[in-house]
Amino acid sequence: MEKQPLPSDDDRTETADIDGNPQFSSEPAARAGWNSKIDYFLAQVGFSVGLGNVWRFPYLCHQNGGGSFLLLYILLMLVVGIPLFFLELAAGQAIRQGSIGVWKYISPRLAGIGYSSCVVCFFVALYYNVILAWSLFYLGNSFQYPLPWEQCPKQENVTIKECEKSSPTSYFWYRKALDITDSIGETGSFNIYIICCLLAAWTVVCLGMFKGIKTSVKVMYFSSIFPYVVLICFLVRGLMLDGALEGIRFMFYPKLEIWADVQVWRQAATQVFFALGLGFGSIIAYSSYNPKNNNCHRDAFTVSFINFMTSVLATLVVFAVLGFRAKNMVMECVVRNIKGISAQFHSGLVDQQMMPTFNYSNPSSVALEDYRDWFKHNEKNINGSLTDCDLEKEMQKGVEGTGLAFIAFTEAMTLLPGSPFWSALFFLMLLNLGLSTMFGNMEGILAPLTDRFKCLGNNKTKFTIFSCIVGFLLGLLFTQRCGNYFVMMFDDYSATLPLIIVVVFETFSVSWLYGADRFLDDIEAMLGWRPTVLYKYMWKYICLLAMLGLLAATTIRMFLSPPTYLSWNQEKASEERLTYPGWALAVLALLIIFAMMPVPLCLIHALLRDRNKPTSRNMENGQYRMVCTDETPMMDLSELDHRNGVATSVS
């Protein structure tokens, strides 16, 4: 079956339907472009490197064998992540449309894939900006000494019991920042402080996006680079701390038996999937602004490498700081137990022969190794109130997500000299990491819709502002006292399954419906050289089977273990895991269904529309067409605005 020729610029302006009637394409006469390669690179790296690199990857590495998980992650990145990342980059650059336009060009029946990507992006943007609001709240509270989460507050000279039972950082997070309820069923009132921070977060996003990539890329020069400066500062400072090397050693210690666990493979594949941002449509949107001859193959490897190295850098920082925290907690345990030994000795409960040889009259001078050696030799003969102070067990108390950022890490920073400075630096870093990812999410929503609908494209600034207002209003759901539970629900279920299904459809449509060979032909015409034939087999078999396996494992896990969430019990002053109530499970199911609904709806719509039309060879082959453009290697945006403005005035 002969491949369709590439259309010229004139061919893009006017097309004909199957009855021979002329139709005008919805694609703009000239698409915006990046001012420079650096602009594009910062945008793509800023989107792919997000909060998950800081608080999800270290946790997975910590829980799943350290160095063994790193090797598994690299393997899956090479055989699954990079090929799929390259596929999305090439498709967006070739067709120069958002996700809706790309899949509609391949086949009108696949347009639903792009709409599903937009829905998932919107879900993620809703709760992701709430995390930015929390970061703003903590950033604002960092400019005081001592930090408000450094000590338990007192009421009438009595320490508040909830704080005394837990810790100052846990109390500040759950009671002061969130004022959280005991369960998702108890809604509670709105948190006015978080509402104000959410409004500020959406205002920043709107100001950064209202002129499209022209304004967002200016912000990204800071938001994409600043986190690396902070991470390097934290790493240098962290390596100077007592216990940092023990923490890093714990990170890299390999446990190869982990590879036999299917769940570890599932977690590694999921992390690769989300780390690169596959399926969101943002990769396609950003690459659609590239010139035709941009080396997207090199970009795929470069961005993936930077993403991985950022995860490793963040993990080194986290383990160094948490190693320092764990060492402090273990040494407090030693001091507490030695004081207990002295009290028992003076009370006549401990025999003189059992007393340690080290100087127990000065507990703070006792080395951890000396105490542990004494404890192991006398464990069976001493009072049960004394405990073993195990650094490794303390390090195994892994925390992820908000628990890592707003509890464990904040607690570690209170132990540092000049803690307000380090706290402000850390939350400013989180804010910038989240902001660059938010720009990518919003571009994944705005670019496809403005490309698809001309009325939105002509009023893109108004549509951007409207989208941010809607996002803020819907985001008020997460500012209730139970809002954190809804954030966890959206984070765990609104994106995972739908995005995996989206990527399965993407891979299948390119490699089987359109044809991997034809796609490689188009890439060769675009780049001037042909990528290795290995991509054909990776797209058709390895990637597709891997994604189907991940889909099956995720679905089975959802049905075998009932969905749960981590709640805070105010009376016990501790976290506990609860199952979602029936109405919450219904909401959870609706999120997944609503995200995937565009795929079958667009398919049915296309079938009904074409039912009474004669088939054509073009329709059988799909609608995919490479766009040939005359832009310079990197088109200046001001020139583009001038050209489009002239075109508009003439029409």
Side-chain angles (χ1 to χ4, degrees):
M1 195 170 285
E2 188 178 353
K3 187 174 176 290
Q4 300 175 34
L6 302 179
S8 64
D9 284 348
D10 294 335
D11 295 332
R12 286 191 294 125
T13 307
E14 185 174 326
T15 59
D17 64 13
I18 57 175
D19 296 322
N21 300 319
Q23 293 181 333
F24 287 88
S25 171
S26 61
E27 185 179 344
R31 186 170 179 78
W34 300 102
N35 284 333
S36 68
K37 179 76 173 183
I38 296 177
D39 290 359
Y40 163 70
F41 199 71
L42 288 176
Q44 202 69 268
V45 169
F47 169 68
S48 65
V49 175
L51 296 174
N53 297 76
V54 174
W55 68 29
R56 179 67 177 165
F57 185 88
Y59 169 79
L60 291 175
C61 187
H62 175 234
Q63 294 295 97
N64 296 311
S68 302
F69 182 82
L70 283 175
L71 294 174
L72 180 59
Y73 185 85
I74 293 171
L75 174 65
L76 292 175
M77 176 77 80
L78 290 173
V79 300
V80 178
I82 293 177
L84 292 177
F85 191 61
F86 176 44
L87 184 148
E88 290 199 4
L89 286 176
Q93 183 173 307
I95 303 172
R96 294 177 64 78
Q97 289 275 301
S99 56
I100 297 173
V102 163
W103 306 116
K104 190 176 181 182
Y105 263 56
I106 290 177
S107 172
R109 299 173 184 178
L110 300 175
I113 299 175
Y115 286 106
S116 285
S117 294
C118 289
V119 173
V120 173
C121 270
F122 187 66
F123 284 163
V124 172
L126 286 179
Y127 77 82
Y128 211 88
N129 230 19
V130 177
I131 299 174
L132 298 193
W134 294 339
S135 301
L136 277 172
F137 179 78
Y138 268 78
L139 178 63
N141 280 279
S142 296
F143 297 100
Q144 50 186 304
Y145 184 81
L147 292 170
W149 51 83
E150 192 167 328
Q151 298 174 345
C152 283
K154 293 185 177 181
Q155 196 170 22
E156 298 179 355
N157 292 325
V158 178
T159 304
I160 296 176
K161 289 185 178 180
E162 185 182 1
C163 182
E164 192 175 19
K165 288 181 180 179
S166 54
S167 68
T169 50
S170 296
Y171 175 79
F172 186 87
W173 168 240
Y174 285 115
R175 191 56 50 214
K176 292 296 185 180
L178 302 179
D179 194 17
I180 200 166
T181 57
D182 285 355
S183 69
I184 195 173
E186 304 171 36
T187 55
S189 58
F190 287 96
N191 188 327
I192 187 64
Y193 296 108
I194 301 301
I195 290 177
C196 293
C197 291
L198 182 64
L199 178 62
W202 274 110
T203 301
V204 172
V205 171
C206 187
L207 291 175
M209 290 294 301
F210 82 103
K211 287 291 186 181
I213 60 173
K214 287 191 293 185
T215 50
S216 64
V217 77
K218 294 176 182 177
V219 181
M220 286 179 192
Y221 269 92
F222 180 78
S223 64
S224 296
I225 297 174
F226 179 73
Y228 291 97
V229 177
V230 176
L231 285 174
I232 292 172
C233 290
F234 265 104
L235 181 61
V236 172
R237 184 66 183 90
L239 291 175
M240 299 177 184
L241 300 173
D242 184 27
L245 295 181
E246 287 90 337
I248 293 174
R249 193 183 303 120
F250 184 85
M251 164 193 166
F252 283 108
Y253 183 77
K255 300 176 183 176
L256 295 177
E257 64 273 11
I258 291 291
W259 282 43
D261 189 349
V262 176
Q263 289 302 317
V264 175
W265 285 78
R266 182 190 65 80
Q267 289 180 332
T270 304
Q271 181 60 24
V272 168
F273 182 82
F274 282 102
L276 294 176
L278 300 173
F280 282 92
S282 305
I283 297 170
I284 294 174
Y286 277 151
S287 63
S288 70
Y289 298 113
N290 275 332
K292 187 184 72 170
N293 60 351
N294 176 64
N295 192 341
C296 55
H297 183 264
R298 181 179 58 199
D299 294 343
F301 277 87
T302 307
V303 174
S304 300
F305 176 75
I306 292 176
N307 187 295
F308 171 71
M309 292 308 298
T310 305
S311 297
V312 173
L313 175 62
T315 304
L316 286 171
V317 171
V318 167
F319 273 78
V321 174
L322 292 187
F324 164 66
R325 170 178 172 263
K327 187 68 174 288
N328 272 273
M329 297 182 75
V330 168
M331 293 310 297
E332 288 177 4
C333 170
V334 170
V335 171
R336 184 171 59 250
N337 285 342
I338 291 179
K339 288 180 178 179
I341 296 170
S342 299
Q344 290 180 27
F345 173 69
H346 290 107
S347 301
L349 299 176
V350 177
D351 187 65
Q352 177 67 38
Q353 295 179 350
M354 290 178 54
M355 291 303 291
T357 57
F358 52 75
N359 183 16
Y360 55 85
S361 61
N362 184 13
S364 59
S365 66
V366 178
L368 174 62
E369 294 77 12
D370 293 339
Y371 170 79
R372 294 202 68 201
D373 288 341
W374 173 85
F375 184 85
K376 287 177 182 178
H377 284 96
N378 299 278
E379 184 176 2
K380 295 180 180 179
N381 302 317
I382 58 178
N383 191 289
S385 62
L386 299 181
T387 58
D388 183 18
C389 302
D390 191 343
L391 181 63
E392 185 172 342
K393 284 185 178 179
E394 194 62 45
M395 284 295 299
Q396 285 175 349
K397 296 177 182 177
V399 285
E400 64 171 322
T402 54
L404 173 63
F406 299 107
I407 298 177
F409 218 87
T410 51
E411 183 177 339
M413 285 185 292
T414 60
L415 304 173
L416 295 173
S419 53
F421 168 77
W422 294 105
S423 178
L425 207 60
F426 176 71
F427 289 109
L428 190 59
M429 178 194 72
L430 288 188
L431 186 63
N432 280 276
L433 279 173
L435 196 60
S436 56
T437 303
M438 268 299 297
F439 287 150
N441 281 329
M442 292 301 293
E443 192 64 33
I445 300 169
L446 300 174
L449 293 175
T450 51
D451 286 342
R452 177 68 183 88
F453 301 102
K454 191 175 181 180
C455 59
L456 297 179
N458 292 336
N459 299 278
K460 188 169 183 178
T461 301
K462 295 178 182 177
F463 180 54
T464 302
I465 296 172
F466 174 77
S467 299
C468 292
I469 292 173
V470 171
F472 167 72
L473 294 176
L474 293 178
L476 292 176
L477 167 71
F478 307 104
T479 63
Q480 300 176 94
R481 291 181 60 195
C482 65
N484 183 48
Y485 303 137
F486 284 99
V487 170
M488 285 190 282
M489 177 192 288
F490 272 67
D491 188 33
D492 291 338
Y493 299 103
S494 70
T496 305
L497 201 62
L499 281 180
I500 295 173
I501 296 173
V502 163
V503 175
V504 168
F505 276 114
E506 287 182 1
T507 311
F508 179 77
S509 60
V510 169
S511 59
W512 290 94
L513 295 183
Y514 181 70
D517 285 320
R518 291 175 61 191
F519 191 62
L520 287 172
D521 289 342
D522 292 335
I523 294 175
E524 182 180 8
M526 184 170 61
L527 302 183
W529 55 274
R530 188 178 185 85
T532 175
V533 73
L534 288 176
Y535 283 109
K536 170 184 174 181
Y537 299 104
M538 284 192 286
W539 289 332
K540 293 186 72 170
Y541 304 108
I542 298 176
C543 294
L544 189 57
L545 290 175
M547 295 310 300
L548 288 172
L550 180 59
L551 176 61
T554 304
T555 306
I556 291 171
R557 182 173 178 272
M558 287 180 63
F559 281 103
L560 289 182
S561 56
T564 60
Y565 65 98
L566 201 64
S567 69
W568 176 258
N569 188 300
Q570 184 174 4
E571 185 178 348
K572 298 178 182 177
S574 63
E575 296 174 335
E576 58 182 8
R577 192 158 287 279
L578 302 177
T579 56
Y580 283 105
W583 65 266
L585 291 175
V587 172
L588 187 152
L590 286 175
L591 287 175
I592 297 173
I593 293 171
F594 191 73
M596 291 314 305
M597 190 61 70
V599 175
L601 286 181
C602 288
L603 175 62
I604 294 170
H605 177 264
L607 291 174
L608 292 176
R609 185 187 59 192
D610 297 338
R611 186 175 181 181
N612 297 322
K613 293 182 180 180
T615 59
S616 69
R617 182 168 182 160
N618 287 347
M619 292 175 64
E620 291 173 359
N621 289 347
Q623 298 294 319
Y624 180 90
R625 299 179 299 173
M626 297 277 290
V627 176
C628 180
T629 58
D630 291 333
E631 74 273 348
T632 57
M634 284 292 174
M635 182 186 299
D636 188 88
L637 291 166
S638 59
E639 295 178 6
L640 177 66
D641 290 341
H642 177 71
R643 287 167 51 189
N644 287 340
V646 172
T648 304
S649 62
V650 171
S651 60

